[in-house]
Amino acid sequence: MRAMWKGSVSFGLVSIPIQLYAATENKNVSLRQVHEADGGRIQYKRFCTIDGAEVPYAEIAKGYELPDGEMVVITDAEMAELPLSSQRTIDVLEFVPLESIDPIQYDRTYYLEPQKNAVKPYIVLRDALHKAGQVAVAKVAVRQRESMAVLRVHADVLVMTTMLWPDEVREPDFPFLRDDPPQIRPQELSMAGSLIDSLAEPVYESEKYRDHYREALEEMIEAKVAGEETTKPAAVTAKADVVDLMAALQASVDAAKKSREPAKAAASESKASTSERSDSDTEGEKPAKKPAARKRAPKKSA
């Protein structure tokens, strides 16, 4: 990994020099826009809509458009003069329980690595957070954008997740929320609970799931490279509208239980087989004969 920038975590009177790394990466297959007829790459040119001239990147500034269409031009030099107290500093403001923050506010996640002379204070903060069972709320500026952030411990490393500002989270203004709610029968609610219980797991294991679309795309690309014929995937048939909610919930519960039976049966058979082998070995054992006096017993391996 390559560090994005170097800065520090400001924790009271303590300053911990760190390096910031992106914690996630996009694994989507990268596709370019090309001319379908001959495969030529499509290129975009930056040009001015007023004089039609192509504009080099060095001459491009930022602009804020007013409601009447007028443009306020802002140069990079003017942007650099704006006060940004949290630039290169992760300023810890308070500590709160993790569950008090709604995940909808999370934006991007980064790893924090201590610089060589800051390993001890880094570990002190890490272990203190872990022991307290809380997360640190901080303010930080990344790529000329100031935001709130959460510092927490993950895999023995401090992790920072930037958060959206309150006005960046949209309100769910849907018509059905203003209508009178439909009458829900206790049986329907109970059946929905049964479906949840049948699919419940103690923890989320991401390794169980795969990106089938990405795998299919990669296989198609490999087949084209190898010169093989490709087949068009079958169209997905639309599901019929659910008429009987209870019947649909019951069918879902039955399907969920049925899908788990083979795994449970396999585990039971394996356990039974192991038990049978153990009993068979015990019954088939005969008392060991005492070795002759002139023979030495073999040494036991360590």
Side-chain angles (χ1 to χ4, degrees):
M1 292 187 294
R2 185 175 63 180
M4 295 175 54
W5 56 258
K6 294 182 180 180
S8 63
V9 177
S10 178
F11 172 45
L13 299 178
V14 179
S15 181
I16 308 173
I18 56 92
Q19 297 180 140
L20 193 72
Y21 299 83
T24 60
E25 59 180 337
N26 193 327
K27 287 291 187 178
N28 289 340
V29 179
S30 180
L31 300 176
R32 300 185 182 277
Q33 290 185 325
V34 298
H35 186 196
E36 185 178 359
D38 54 18
R41 288 178 57 181
I42 304 299
Q43 294 183 345
Y44 293 92
K45 295 183 178 181
R46 296 179 292 267
F47 69 94
C48 178
T49 57
I50 296 178
D51 59 17
E54 186 173 352
V55 182
Y57 188 79
E59 297 180 11
I60 296 179
K62 294 178 174 62
Y64 179 83
E65 187 173 2
L66 300 176
D68 60 1
E70 291 292 322
M71 195 70 66
V72 178
V73 178
I74 305 174
T75 65
D76 290 342
E78 291 171 331
M79 291 286 292
E81 293 176 359
L82 293 176
L84 201 57
S85 58
S86 57
Q87 190 171 17
R88 303 289 180 179
T89 302
I90 303 171
D91 190 13
V92 176
L93 304 176
E94 61 184 8
F95 297 90
V96 300
L98 178 61
E99 57 270 18
S100 68
I101 303 174
D102 195 317
I104 198 173
Q105 295 179 269
Y106 294 156
D107 190 13
R108 295 178 179 271
T109 302
Y110 305 88
Y111 288 134
L112 273 60
E113 178 195 28
Q115 296 184 25
K116 291 183 179 180
N117 61 340
V119 174
K120 184 174 181 179
Y122 178 96
I123 293 178
V124 169
L125 176 58
R126 181 198 68 184
D127 293 352
L129 278 176
H130 183 72
K131 183 178 180 180
Q134 293 191 322
V135 297
V137 176
K139 182 180 282 189
V140 63
V142 179
R143 293 173 175 169
Q144 293 186 327
R145 171 179 164 83
E146 191 172 51
S147 63
M148 300 301 294
V150 171
L151 290 182
R152 59 188 179 88
V153 181
H154 172 73
D156 291 336
V157 175
L158 285 177
V159 171
M160 181 185 76
T161 301
T162 56
M163 294 192 295
L164 302 171
W165 294 103
D167 59 356
E168 293 179 315
V169 179
R170 295 176 175 177
E171 290 291 334
D173 186 18
F174 301 121
F176 84 93
L177 295 174
R178 296 186 292 271
D179 298 336
D180 293 333
Q183 294 296 321
I184 306 297
R185 293 185 296 168
Q187 298 91 333
E188 294 171 336
L189 195 59
S190 176
M191 188 62 66
S194 299
L195 176 57
I196 293 174
D197 292 339
S198 65
L199 295 174
E201 294 289 350
V203 295
Y204 170 63
E205 299 176 0
S206 58
E207 298 80 6
K208 295 193 303 184
Y209 305 99
R210 294 156 45 197
D211 187 346
H212 295 288
Y213 177 81
R214 188 178 75 186
E215 292 176 355
L217 178 57
E218 290 173 343
E219 290 176 1
M220 182 180 68
I221 293 173
E222 292 174 0
K224 283 182 173 290
V225 172
E228 299 177 4
E229 292 295 329
T230 58
T231 57
K232 185 177 180 180
V236 179
T237 56
K239 294 183 179 179
D241 293 338
V242 177
V243 178
D244 189 340
L245 180 59
M246 284 293 293
L249 287 172
Q250 183 62 59
S252 299
V253 171
D254 295 341
K257 291 180 178 179
K258 187 176 181 180
S259 65
R260 295 193 172 195
E261 286 177 358
K264 291 182 179 180
S268 300
E269 290 178 3
S270 176
K271 185 176 180 180
S273 176
T274 303
S275 177
E276 289 175 2
R277 287 199 303 268
S278 177
D279 294 342
S280 176
D281 292 343
T282 303
E283 293 175 0
E285 286 179 354
K286 295 180 180 180
K289 294 181 179 180
K290 294 183 179 180
R294 54 189 175 86
K295 294 183 179 180
R296 296 180 63 185
K299 292 182 179 180
K300 295 182 179 180
S301 59

